[in-house]
Amino acid sequence: MTLARTAFALAALLAVGACDSATEAPSPAPAPTVEPEAEPAASGTAENAQGGLALEGEGLRAFTAQGSARPLPFGMSQDMVLTAVSSLLGTETPAVTTNAECGAGPTQFAEYPNGLQLAFQDGAFAGWFLDEAGLTTADGVGVGTGLADLQSARVVEMIPDSTLGTEFSSGALGGFLSSDGPDARVESLYAGLTCFFR
């Protein structure tokens, strides 16, 4: 990330924070869920998360070059989240589309070139889905992570009889594995509102 882009992203985050506290009424959000985690994997750190973003079960977390972090939680304004994420990834804000068929009701989606899809309802950040390697959690879990590394980084529970594939959960974080074998790898991750047809 160039110095100019870092400065721009930091300025955007500070502006987002100022707008958030001055104009945005707090949105109701589900009670936070503590994700059960073991010791972080040695190779995974927030600093190597692509674009200064890390995945979380309660939303996303933005990191600056100076090492400070700011949460982008579910319930935050759609415009603020799109501005922050687009700035940190150094990309244009994607078009927002609506899927009226989601079980939770009409849902808006914005998809980035790196495989990150954000979901919104009623103008608020509601969920995310990732199906390409790059972004990770702060403890290094991302698309492509092997099952052994996943289980060493955090407590994992398999979801029995999932109609969508080999599905697992880890606190508020969910995902899918390539198989149920010991050499399985993470194929996708998600948190919050999804539009899966089970």
Side-chain angles (χ1 to χ4, degrees):
M1 180 179 292
T2 65
L3 183 58
R5 180 177 293 171
T6 301
F8 176 74
L10 179 58
L13 278 176
L14 292 176
V16 165
C19 292
D20 193 21
S21 61
T23 64
E24 187 68 20
S27 300
T33 302
V34 177
E35 294 183 19
E37 296 181 8
E39 290 297 317
S43 62
T45 63
E47 287 77 15
N48 66 19
Q50 176 183 328
L53 281 177
L55 307 170
E56 294 188 334
E58 295 79 24
L60 299 169
R61 185 165 295 269
F63 290 86
T64 67
Q66 292 74 24
S68 62
R70 182 178 190 281
L72 304 176
F74 296 140
M76 189 174 182
S77 158
Q78 173 177 320
D79 290 342
M80 292 178 182
V81 171
L82 288 173
T83 297
V85 172
S86 298
S87 296
L88 288 164
L89 296 181
T91 186
E92 293 183 3
T93 300
V96 176
T97 60
T98 298
N99 185 337
E101 304 298 322
C102 290
T107 305
Q108 290 70 50
F109 293 96
E111 188 163 354
Y112 286 89
N114 65 351
L116 177 66
Q117 183 185 74
L118 305 182
F120 304 94
Q121 273 195 327
D122 301 320
F125 184 27
W128 59 260
F129 176 82
L130 180 73
D131 62 1
E132 292 185 26
L135 294 175
T136 69
T137 61
D139 54 2
V141 174
V143 173
T145 299
L147 178 59
D149 290 334
L150 172 64
Q151 292 174 325
S152 69
R154 52 181 56 227
V155 176
V156 175
E157 294 183 9
M158 301 309 297
I159 298 177
D161 304 320
S162 171
T163 60
L164 300 176
T166 307
E167 189 172 1
F168 69 89
S169 66
S170 178
L173 187 77
F176 296 92
L177 298 172
S178 58
S179 72
D180 57 4
D183 59 347
R185 293 193 170 273
V186 174
E187 288 192 328
S188 59
L189 292 167
Y190 64 87
L193 177 69
T194 63
C195 194
F196 301 150
F197 293 93
R198 296 182 181 278

